[in-house]
Amino acid sequence: MIQFIIRRILQTIPVLIGVSILVFSMMHLVPGDPAQVIAGEGAPQEQIENIRERLGLNDPLPTQYLNYVTSAVQGDLGTSMRSGRDVSAEIGARFWVTVELAIYSTILAVFLGLIAGIISATRKYTAIDTTIMIVALFGLSMPNFWLGLMLIQWFAIGIDLPSWVPFFNNTAWFSPSGWGSFSQIVLPVITLGTGSAAIIARMTRSSMLDVIGSDYIRTARAKGVKEQIVIYRHALKNALIPIVTVVGLQFGGLLGGAVLTESVFAVNGMGKLIIDSIQARDFPVVQGTVLVASLLFILVNLIVDVAYRFLNKRIDLD
Amino acid sequence: SEPDEGGNSDSDGEGTSEEAAEGGELVIANQSDVVSMDPAGSNDTPSSNVQANIFETLVTLDENMELQPGLATEWEAVEDNVWEFKLRDDVTFHDGSEFNAEVVKANIERILDEDVASQRYFLYEMVEDIEVVDDYTVRFTTEYPFAPFPAHIAHNGGGMTSLEVIEADYEAMENGEEPGSYINENPIGTGFFKFDSWNSGSEVRLVKNEDYWGEPAHLDSVVFKVVSEANTRVAELETGDSHIIDPLGPSNMAQVENSEGIHVAPQESVSVSYIGFNVEKEPFDDPNVRQAINMAIDKSQIIDGIYEGVGIPAVGPLAPAVYGYDEDAPGLEYDLEEAKQLLADAGYEDGFSTTLWTNDTQERIDAATNVQAQLQELNIDVEVEVLEWGTYLERTAQGDHDMFVLGWSTVTGDADYGLYPLFHSENIGEPGNRSFLQDEELDEMLEAARREGDEETRLQLYSDIQAKLTELAPMLYLHHQEFLLGVNDNVQGLTQSPTGILQLHDVSLNQ
Amino acid sequence: MNNQKVLLKVDDLKQYFPIKGGFFGRTVNHVKAVDDISFEVYEGETLSIVGESGCGKSTTGRAVLRLDEPTDGKVEFDGTNILELNKKEMNKFRKDMQIIFQDPYASINPRHTVRQILTEAMEIQNAVPKHERNDRVKELMETVGLGAHQIDRHPHEFSGGQRQRIGIARALSVDPKLIIADEAVSALDVSIQAQVINLLKKLQREFKLTYLFISHDLGVVRHISDRIIVMYLGKVVEIADKKSLFTNNMHPYTKALLSAIPSTDLEAKKERITLKGDVPSPIDPPEGCRFHTRCPFATDICRTKVPELRNTEGMKDGHRAACHHMEAIRSGEHQPTVNA
Amino acid sequence: MTGAPNPSYDNILEIKNLQTSFFTKDLEVKAVDGVSFNIPKGKVLGVVGESGSGKSITSLSILRLIEEPGKIKGGEILFKGENLLDKSEAQMRKIRGNEISMIFQEPMTSLNPTFTVGQQISESFRIHEGLGKKEAKKKSIEMLKLVGIPSPEKRINQYPFELSGGMRQRVMIAIALACNPDLLIADEPTTALDVTIQAQILDLMKELQEKLDMGILLITHDLGVVAETCDYVAVMYCGKVVEFTDKKTLFTEPKHPYTVGLMQSVPQHDQDVDGDLAVIRGSVPSPADMPQGCRFAPRCPFATDLCRNKLPDLETDEEGNQIRCWIYSDEWDGDPEVNVHEQSKSTS
Amino acid sequence: MSRSNEHIEKPEIAVKQPNPRLKSWKSVFNKLKKNKSAVVGGILIILLIIIALIGPYLTPYDPLYDQDVTNKLATPSSDHWFGTDNFGRDIFSRVIQGTGLTLMIGFFSILLGATAGVFLGIIAGYYGKRIDSIIMRFMDILLAFPSILLALTIVTVLGGSMVNVVIAVAVSSVPIFARIVRGSTLSVKKLEYIDAMRALGASDSRIIFKHILPNITSPIIVQATLSIATAILSAAGLSFLGLGAQPPTPEWGAMLSDGRNYLYNAPHVALFPGLAIVVAVLAFNMLGDGLRDAFDPKTRE
Ligand SMILES: Nc1ncnc2c1ncn2[C@@H]1O[C@H](COP(=O)(O)OP(=O)(O)OP(=O)(O)O)[C@@H](O)[C@H]1O
Ligand SMILES: Nc1ncnc2c1ncn2[C@@H]1O[C@H](COP(=O)(O)OP(=O)(O)OP(=O)(O)O)[C@@H](O)[C@H]1O
Ligand SMILES: [Mg+2]
Ligand SMILES: [Mg+2]
């Protein structure tokens, strides 16, 4: 097990090299000159040239790449071209925010998705099943910003309902922006978690259906086990195996897909940093964030594989 | 609530301060984060908005775009190309160090330093020499006579940083750090607010400078926080989490107006939005075509449709607030018949097909879409293409475009900066002239105007230039934007300059 | 028997499956599924392999067909060592060697109709010219006792026995010489099993087929085989003609195996030899005789020395067994230890 | 002991006219169609029959574990004299695993791959005897010892895939026997195992059965197993019991032509048979077109018009054996001298 | 080698047979017809296709250039069933006009992404070992990669056409399909019928495409139908890069995004294109569920 983990960690090295080469070449391939973005409108030619020189953009590409990798290996991700700030510091400040956001959303998505999926599966082809499917597909078709803004309208600004409506007539319960306190976390987590919840629900449904038909579920029933326990203990643990893959994929997606949610709720996370720095052609920040995101993603995949093994001791990791 | 016009008019804060409560923390929600705390290390409004409170300039521009004394008490052109500034002698920096002529020299020289490669270089590129006459007198020699120099000195880029941090910054540069890295962390100026903290991407906090040389600010502290989504900023304002939101999108105006306790504060600006023609490409090489398009567009549709009626139609590139603007300058009125005629004269009575580029700003896309629809009338078949910002800048600088939507803000408030970078042939491409206009006569006029010391003559020159630009029509001038702020009714004494900078010195909060 | 033509000759065949581990996925150990076995199959005969589950029967069959690449050894088919052939040459040879699998459902693509299944087999080997394929499919269906009207049905529309016939028809469709039947009748109901066995025998008579018949059902084996190999944990422990094996078996494992078969004869009183313990792991099989951990007759020599396959007194020609004590057991000199 | 057990005898289980159907989209599959038999206390009843004849469905019906779209349509299942079909789901849960246990055919898939063996055995103790974690574990270890698994303390923490097929089946037996059931249903418990392991398991089951005085319902298609373990045998064909006798009668003089055919098609391991095996020609009718008379008529060498048109009843003969065949009735319209054994051999 | 190989290629077919492939398609279709959800989904899709084909000729207003600023953001009425947008354009006409384009983007990007992902996943799963590691690590890279950078590169290299937005969206969905397919391939390739084909001497490509692929369609269909929603939304998300529908093309995702500015005072601007997306996604998912059952030969006709 430990060997497996160590091996996978070693395997990340080529992946990271691949990622860095890819990002590096793509960033240089696409038009857009960081010097010009920095200098802005109306800057004279010679000055743009100065900036270029200062940023080392006039060196040949392989040199630039090697310089980057050499210092990256030593833990120095460079400084932002735009602000001159340390890339590691820029990422560091945002890293945990994004990770937290992704983790909470995943927890929510798993929770909602599992419950919906299980209910769907145990009441196959009933009205409830169909309703859940339609709700799930709504969730899937609803862009994050839309849901986010709606939630802000409802639960941060509050909507005016007649006063006789109990409970919901003053719904300004949560904060519209920022990250940290409970009231700030709730809305972005719901926004981000919904899409994944929909996918997990669909996946749980089909996976549960496979498991519920299997022999060992019948064995459990033949033992006199209560139906709830049959479903939530015996069936679910087995059904989780394919679900875990999806959760892993979703979690990875959340890291990147958080951009819209982050900007709607003014959450200062990595997603926004990536977009902003791509648009500013801030090469070091882009490279740094993509590397960190990849690392995180690989880590998540590793956790997924370990979780597999935990759920089903039979899966041979090697 | 009604828009609070009063907040804008009684600008010289002195009067209102008696009844205003002291202290409190003002929260401002901005669209973007500060790029850098170093006045030489950024060139964007959010950065300037923060820096303007920490760093002061020798001369300042008031909300009417008039020059007022700042750290300098007086200034004059001692020669054609030599400007002398007399400095205050009672000013100290936040770190206790003294403000004097040496500091001014070091600051401006730093901007001109090739190694620093400052984004504010364009402001002082004409400076040849800086001479410390005495402790409180400094002289700038320019390469050529440069009339708008005080306006350039008034720009935020000329904010004064403590000499000690400049030296520390150079030291850091020698150790391989990026320029500005030290100043960024230690922004030491002379302003009425001091730097407290900066949580990158999230918020900047400033606290009151108790030892300010002038009258200290009313507020205890100011927080500039980043809320990039327009709708969320409105929510911030509605919930009271922020006192000011900057900017407020036109489409959100109704919402703010309909809510209690908050209002919209508009401010005319020095910017223009325009659609540029690539005059090197057919059919835009023909001034008739360019004029025809100018006349075929009903600008009020754009202002009403996209900006909810906020802003004024542009006649030329200069906004009314800009020094040198001529309100009598001739323009091309909306006249579809005339436009058709002109087009026919140019041999395009059946129209033509072309492309219109825009970046991804929603308003620009919308403007492009509207122009596209309006040009249908002339049988001009326009294809709108949206380009990502970085790509857009590079490709328009290369002249790959036919038409493009862009804007320009005359940040110095002087016509020179509103015209020279956009239309002088020397600035073709990247520096700003993306119409690729090359007109010798215009070049000469632009050069003459910037060298002219006499105000009358200079204003006349700019009138001529504006007339000439109407005739050349290298652009379709769309409109002059109005800045919109969403402001909590508790905020008193707030003004915004036409360059977009919030004036916070006199602001107080009713608790 | 020995003057018959040898169709398949297996020499020192080894099949080790690697177990990966370590930091770089090195091979840290092997499953020694088949460990050094040799045998011959004569043309037109049925040779059966029997033995406990997991002893390497299927692996042997798969190795002979190169469905898994054997670790070591030689497999000569019709005089050619097929292990030396490249993929293309091997694919040509596959026409002559076919396999019928245990699970009649799993071994047929559930999405294809019988026609598709059979036509495809002919198409791959080009065994039958295109325009004759349809007739040939019908002919095959008749041969295995399925009606031509069932030709466009999917496998799930057939009963287990019928499905197994589809598998047989597919094997026959390329006119093979050798058919390996890997537990081809184990999954079937007795009444259907009987039909399939009869069919296999009939086909053998008609087409001179050679069978390598893998099974653990000794009743079936006794019915169909000419000769029988008994395997235990990757090794051949006894090889003999059918008669010798059932009446004159020499190896203690063979004896235990035969005694464990439940009999329908209510009168017959018999001594069942119940083996203790489980089959050891093929990853590190016991030293010496692999059966010694469960053998009631095991002595010290069994624990250290690997017994050779040999023929001794009282055994028919070609009957060989691998036990140190077979003479002594036979004469009754050597008695089982108590807790057997 | 000859003849089928008398229904009035002290029976642990009595099934009367059980009917279970599956309602698929376009037709009703009568998987179990009027099955009746009974098991005396402490005896072993073997159920044999063609694949698909309804053996497993009968056993699942007893435990009321039939799933959608299946439904028990009628009949009675008297367990200790009480009709299980009248019990509530909660009452059934008390009976399942406690008074009636079941061993399923496939040991690998019948054990939950994600729980340890120990967890799966103790669950029964915890449900039915309300034991705590520790005690349940202790008892589980005892159970494993009882079914002959060496070093049960270690095995208890292993997962099913870590055990061999034989061990898994023993774990299944341990689960089934955990609460000393009065009736054990074993659905082809040894089909997946090879003969040496099968022998071990059958020995074990018999030993425990004698020790605990259980009734066993043993489903198998291996007649050898029947011969070695059962007291009585029910032969099923197409959802119906066609013959229900004591073991001896079944092996010495089977009566129903289907039973006869079945016996004859078993290849013998203890004698050489040359030539072909006897087979029952034809195949099982599909549920879509069930013959209207005797279900076996289309394959029966003796079938007459009577057989083809009218379904025979399950009749008890003078020895107490039950048989569902026209040949043994007074209405028989065929050759009165027919010898089922000889004739069927010759037709094969 | 009893039969000679001499007359291999004789094109004529002796007996006229009903095409077996046709028959199997017919059977799939018959099963589909019996599946309620598939029928509803299928009808919806056909309806959408009809709208896409003839709708643009029947729209009450010009969906592209008919701007009427004086009547902007009008709420739904009998004149404008879905109301108007910020230029006063008729949203109903725009939704209709956008049907074809939106469906094509959603459908083709998933088709392309799934095709590539399935191919890579099958290869990785079938061959295993090093090929597997390389492909899957490459997929890891792709998954971890910011899609905007990918899209930006695609615009740069290929330009900003409609086809390229499909490519951009497709590329980011490739790794998801690859992963799912690889997993299924690993289990299917162990089945005995794959061995049977190898024993017959079948080539790898025959085994992969004729025997493995058809048996792993169910997870692919589920994933594909679910992905269509994501594809439509992410295509819209890319339009600001110049990829995808350029204004004033009424692509639903883009319309939905445009509506964000008016969520407060004119929510209908975003509502209707949003609903249109939901309907399309629902249709594909229902048909997908049905298809999955129909491709399963075990379900009765
Ligand atoms: N691909 C493989 N990788 C690793 N081990 C394998 C592989 N195939 C088979 N084995 C192992 O090799 C041994 C022999 O397996 P094989 O399938 O040949 O047994 P068998 O005699 O056919 O058993 P059964 O009667 O149960 O079919 C077993 O221990 C099995 O676990
Ligand atoms: N879920 C179901 N839907 C429809 N028919 C079913 C279902 N389950 C079982 N059947 C049918 O019920 C009949 C009896 O099945 P059962 O499993 O009892 O057979 P069996 O006698 O146990 O056979 P085997 O020996 O193969 O296990 C079969 O014809 C089968 O097709
Ligand atoms: Mg095998
Ligand atoms: Mg059964």
Side-chain angles (χ1 to χ4, degrees), chain C residues 17 31 33 52-59 183 216 282:
Chain C
F17 293 107
V31 179
E52 202 142 353
S53 167
C55 66
K57 306 184 294 288
S58 300
T59 305
E183 317 246 13
H216 61 235

Side-chain angles (χ1 to χ4, degrees), chain B residues 154-171:
Chain B
H155 186 274
N156 284 100
M160 290 297 138
T161 313
S162 154
L163 188 58
E164 280 169 30
V165 291
I166 289 182
E167 278 164 4
D169 199 71
Y170 269 111
E171 222 166 272

Side-chain angles (χ1 to χ4, degrees), chain B residues 273-277 307 356-359 361 363-369 371 384-385 389 392 396 401 403-407 434 476 478:
Chain B
S273 64
Y274 64 86
I275 288 181
F277 306 111
Y307 297 97
L356 172 51
W357 286 9
T358 167
N359 71 306
T361 315
E363 282 85 12
R364 290 196 184 144
I365 297 177
D366 286 347
T369 316
V371 167
V384 174
E385 281 177 33
W389 182 239
Y392 183 63
T396 48
H401 55 285
M403 292 196 279
F404 66 106
V405 193
L406 210 57
R434 287 163 204 263
L476 159 57
L478 291 178

Side-chain angles (χ1 to χ4, degrees), chain A residues 217-225, chain D residues 63 65 95-98 100-102 104 128:
Chain A
I217 295 303
R218 204 177 49 193
T219 307
R221 292 204 178 108
K223 270 196 276 186
V225 178
Chain D
L63 279 174
L65 286 175
I95 292 173
R96 285 183 203 135
N98 192 21
I100 308 177
S101 292
M102 182 151 177
F104 293 100
H128 296 297

Side-chain angles (χ1 to χ4, degrees), chain D residues 239-251:
Chain D
K240 293 196 181 295
V241 173
V242 294
E243 189 162 4
F244 180 35
T245 68
D246 64 294
K247 169 172 69 178
K248 192 155 173 245
T249 315
L250 184 89
F251 283 99

